[in-house]
């Protein structure tokens, strides 16, 4: 099912980092890239200067792309996409890079601070005191990619989708399009639950932003759906994408709820938006079942789909039958449907313009 929505939301106040972070001059000169953990890919480090925690050194993000040997046309394409993962995730989705390459779009992936290749201390996995902190690495990645490609699309999954939506709203005129794969735009639970939870989270955060919350999570259910050792198709690093119970921190959850509240008030994304989610959630099961593989076991898909009109003035909402939380990791039929809808949207809203590559 596809739905086109058009709205004119109020413009929020942009939040920008106080210091400008860029990828090193060496990386810009193509000499600071090193082999990635995935064959045919390479990576470079984005050193970060804001949002550090006490005692933390070497805060960084990591940008990943295909090598020239694996993709000789990489630097000659007009269009590019930057992919942002969800919570407790990292880029291992080589089939997604294959998809974009087949569309004539150069693929980049960003593992943000304290995530995946940029993890550092696992006790601080994915932590951010404000989702706006991620603007620093997104700004740097965008600057690098846009200097090489005239048209840039940003793509985000789950929490990464929420982060990407905020960044896109705060950076008008930069993106050719925004792709959101099951973005975490709304909390599960009864109406009013986030509002009731915020004062407690604020109090806990003031005492210790890393306070661990006893919240339910899908734990091994997720791995059972995705990893090749269970019912899944992918063999990923279980240190970078942990299985079992992964701590949720008070300061981070507060940041998510505040970002969701801002989204609910209306963003002002000026680029066309493609938003996709499954048609069914299955949140409360205690053990793996085949239904998990064909449902979103993390988010309330109806709640997040209802927020689509709040994103911007041109939003295409697609619901994928049997879609998993990460739609790119769904069962084959649902995955095929997702990619077919995304390809259709890209052709309609982000077509090649025939312009020469822009170099800065």
């Amino acid at each position: 099912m596809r739905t086109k929505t058009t709205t004119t939301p109020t413009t929020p106040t942009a939040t920008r980092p106080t210091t400008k972070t860029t990828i090193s001059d060496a990386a810009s000169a193509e000499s600071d890239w090193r082999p990635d953990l995935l064959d045919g890919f390479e990576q470079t480090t984005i050193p970060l200067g804001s949002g550090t925690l006490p005692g933390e050194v070497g805060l960084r993000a990591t940008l990943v792309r295909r090598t020239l040997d694996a993709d000789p046309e990489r630097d000659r394409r007009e269009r590019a996409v930057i992919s942002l993962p969800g919570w407790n995730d990292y880029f291992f989705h080589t089939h997604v890079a294959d998809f974009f390459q087949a569309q004539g779009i150069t693929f980049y992936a960003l593992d943000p601070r304290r995530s995946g290749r940029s993890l550092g201390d696992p006790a601080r996995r994915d932590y951010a005191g404000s989702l706006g902190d991620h603007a620093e690495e997104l700004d740097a990645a965008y600057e690098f990619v846009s200097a090489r490609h005239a048209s840039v699309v940003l793509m985000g999954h789950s929490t990464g989708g929420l982060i990407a939506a905020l960044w896109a709203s705060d950076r008008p005129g930069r993106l050719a399009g925004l792709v959101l794969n099951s973005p975490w735009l709304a909390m599960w639970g009864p109406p009013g639950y986030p509002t009731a939870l915020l004062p407690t989270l604020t109090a806990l955060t003031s005492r210790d932003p890393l306070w661990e919350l006893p919240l339910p999570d899908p734990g091994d259910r997720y791995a059972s759906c995705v990893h090749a050792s269970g019912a899944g198709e992918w063999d990923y690093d279980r240190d970078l994408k942990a299985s079992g119970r992964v701590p949720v921190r008070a300061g981070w959850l507060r940041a998510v709820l505040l970002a969701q509240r801002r989204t609910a008030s209306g963003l002002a994304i000026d680029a066309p938006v493609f938003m996709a989610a499954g048609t069914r959630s299955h949140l409360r099961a205690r053990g793996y079942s085949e239904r998990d593989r064909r449902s979103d076991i993390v988010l309330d898909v109806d709640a997040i789909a209802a927020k689509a009109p709040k994103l911007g003035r041109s939003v295409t909402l697609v619901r994928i039958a049997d879609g998993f939380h990460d739609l790119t990791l769904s069962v084959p039929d649902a995955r095929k449907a997702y990619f077919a809808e995304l390809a259709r949207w890209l052709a309609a809203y982000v077509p090649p313009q025939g312009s020469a590559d822009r170099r800065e």
Side-chain angles (χ1 to χ4, degrees), residues 7 126 156 164 295:
T7 69
D126 283 270
S295 307

Side-chain angles (χ1 to χ4, degrees), residues 112-125:
R113 63 187 66 205
R114 307 185 185 100
S115 171
R117 295 164 179 81
S118 315
L119 179 60
D121 184 356
R124 297 171 171 178
R125 183 185 301 272

